[in-house]
Amino acid sequence: MERHKKLGKKMVEEEESLRLSTSKGNGGLSSMDSIESYRWVFQDEDDSVVDDDGDDDLPLRNGMDSEDEDNADHKLIRTGPRIDSLDVETLEVSGGQRNDLEDVTFRKSVKLAFQTLGVVFGDVGTSPLYTFSVMFSKAPIEGNEDIIGALSLVIYTLILIPLIKYVLIVLLANNDGEGGTFALYSLICRHAKVSLLPNQPASDTRISSFKLKVPSAELERSLRIKERLEASLGLKKLLLMLVLAGTSMVIADGVVTPAMSVMSAVRGLKVGVPMCEEDHVVMISVAYLIILFSVQKFGTSKIGLVIGPALFVWFCSLGGIGIYNLVKYDSSVLKAFNPLHIYYYFKRDSTKAWYSLGGCLLCATGSEAMFADLCYFSVTAIQLIFAFLVLPCLMLGYLGQAAYLMDNNSDAQQPFFSSIPYGCFWAMFLIANIAALIACRAMTTATFSCVKQSIGLGCFPRLKIIHTSRKFMGQIYIPVINWFLLAAALLLVTFIASTDEIGNAYGVAEVGVMMMTTVLVILVMLLIWQINIILAMSFFVIFLGLELIFLSSVLWGIKDGSWLILVFAMIVFFIMYIWNYGSKLKHETEMKKKMSMDVMRQLGSNLGTVRAPGIGLLYNELANGIPTIFGQFLATLPAVHSMIIFVCIKYVPVPSVPPTERFLFRRVCPKSYHIFRCIARYGYKDIHRENHQIFEQLLIESLEKFIRREAKERSLESDGDDDSDSGSNSDSESKRVLIDTNGSLYSLGAPLLSKNRNKTKAATVITEASTSRPREPEPETEKDSGSNSNSVQDKSLENELAVLRMAKESGIVYLLGHVSIRARKDSWFIKKLAINYFYAFLRKNCRRGIATLSVPHTRLMEVAITHMV
């Protein structure tokens, strides 16, 4: 015991010294990754390292409990880094997977432009159908100055929110091309340890696409904010609540957008056919919605290519009719570009002007959809198309409607369709209806994207996700969400049936998600962009203040029916919170009750039963430790497989995990046990739909590479020991370390990365004293000792590979462990209700992780266990 304490103390001193020397060579904070070159473990008699995936911060307890510390069968050794599949040439990967939009031809660029129009801008493009009608229903026109003031409000709302905030700023805060509320949260979690999501071990931060630039020492403000967020559990919970609230508002937006867009377009019939009644509008709208959600499964690229040209015609027609009305009626509306008219509008009747803000906000609807749909297309394409096509046509459309209303104040209830020239009314009616259907699709695809991100980060029950494009992996379709949105939209249309009331509900959902995005972007500015504090606070004050004013206006009309959308958003928020809460409790319970290494040692290499030939893939949700369900298998089955692999399919908060870093392997027990852990990691943009044969092949190949790499690591360590013995006159051992010419530090115990192999000739070899005991002189010569050691290691490697091949030939069986939780009897009633009923219902009806693999039922074995929490 005393010897272990002394060794541990000296080890800490050495690593502190190594940290200081490395910091000088590498320039401070960025050198911290090189400290992982060494670790301290216990070694069994058969020279296999015992590693129970314990806490890396406790080096003396890694693999042993207190009662075994004096066991003579183990010795403390200093070895290289933990060997896993991440250690192979990860520095060669730059930025994860290749962007799908790189190196496109002119023909593909035109194709993408039409798809962008059809998918991204449908929602914001159809806002002229209903903005003025809702505004003037809330604040009736009392003179032409009211029209000029309302138009000025619309123009500057378009400039401030969609253009400046979203197109020029928020789109740049994407997470490797991924947009939306959860993408912002993932980006913040990659930079600061603020995530409350379960099952996120530190090894995930070594994925190449996970790393971001570490703040420099000079930017103390960024570091202080980072430390404050990481230290405060309350701030972490508040941040997660904001993200969940924002996502629930996006999903609610996916309900109200189809209802509002379709009803506003169909109501044009009342202008063209005066005999048309409101009931007819509702019936036609219901039919449109059913058709729209039925074709959703055909994919974004297919439908986007069809509806893209249609939306292009819509924008051109909108601009053309606007110019026609400006010329024919009253071009004096151009003075609305003077923002003083907003001041005059509020000065004449501040209450009426403030109330009209709820309708004015509708001109900016679809702004969040642009950001959420970012995963489908590039930032530059969206920026250029909005700035040079969408925004000019929208402004011309609003200017034309205002010019028409200057001479026809009584037509304020249907200004868009009333302002269309008689000769092209039906053509524009058809185009407007097509554009409205496109707008519905834009928000629906944004909802799919947000739900997929939520599922990937453990905040939404797992659902079936269909990838509709082989070229662009961000284009998805979620059947359950699709039909759920349809049912909610039909309910909204049939029970409210008023565009004014639906418009107010639309504003509630839109301003809610805008505010959440503003708060998250502020954190991105301070933590990651590290911009000037004045610029960051200016963004915060201007846009959050503006959105609070809009919120106050839409909340005033909550009695009109907007409460329905708030109830819907609260239900979605409740589902997400319960799922996250239950998943976190389940993970914490499994971590507390996982099997200890003492039990495994007592069972022996046969695990207290018969080891039958074959490979058993035990699926569980733990990223480290031996799951309790394994003990249930041992107690239930008459025999277990000769090779056991604990498989955890886990999503990490990055868009994509490079294929070379997909599998993370670790040896769980000594060699004779033949037990490994495999974490198959996927980003929330990754496609995970391999069949079981492909998955098995990739997994076995990766495991074989891991075993060979581990043997080579041991061989390098042995060679290092021999070299240090021959070159040292003292009784202590020594380890060799390479310091590259750029100051990077590498251990000979770690695999050399390919990009540094050619630089090793210029490296300087240094020695570092070890803390191990002096060894007795060996009777063999140094040459004989090295030869015998290598031959033993080669034989051990071949034996283990032979066991792997034999087990593979015998067959692979999937062992599924179903772990459920129930609240204890002495728990609060609310906890019992949440865990025993709501979370249990969600978990029972959600999609299991193994469902993505088409595994035959004859190769499945299932065991269940229940934990009390």
Side-chain angles (χ1 to χ4, degrees), residues 1-28:
M1 176 77 71
E2 189 66 26
R3 176 174 59 87
H4 285 168
K5 291 182 178 179
K6 291 180 180 179
L7 290 177
K9 183 177 180 181
K10 192 169 184 180
M11 175 201 68
V12 173
E13 293 175 354
E14 281 190 350
E15 290 190 341
E16 183 65 28
S17 175
L18 181 61
R19 182 181 291 110
L20 292 174
S21 62
T22 311
S23 299
K24 293 177 181 178
N26 291 333

Side-chain angles (χ1 to χ4, degrees), residues 28 78 120 150 188 519 615 652 797 840:
R78 190 175 194 183
V120 178
I188 295 170
V519 174
I615 298 177
V652 292
L797 172 63

Side-chain angles (χ1 to χ4, degrees), residues 424-465:
C424 59
F425 176 83
W426 291 109
M428 277 302 299
F429 175 79
L430 177 62
I431 296 173
N433 278 264
I434 295 175
L437 295 177
I438 295 171
C440 303
R441 178 168 181 80
M443 198 61 228
T444 306
T445 53
T447 305
F448 289 161
S449 178
C450 288
V451 171
K452 183 177 185 292
Q453 294 173 18
S454 306
I455 294 172
L457 295 177
C459 290
F460 205 93
R462 289 186 296 268
L463 302 172
K464 182 179 181 181
I465 298 176

Side-chain angles (χ1 to χ4, degrees), residues 151 235 297 328 850:
L151 176 62
L235 290 177
K297 61 183 178 181
K328 181 178 179 181
I850 190 63

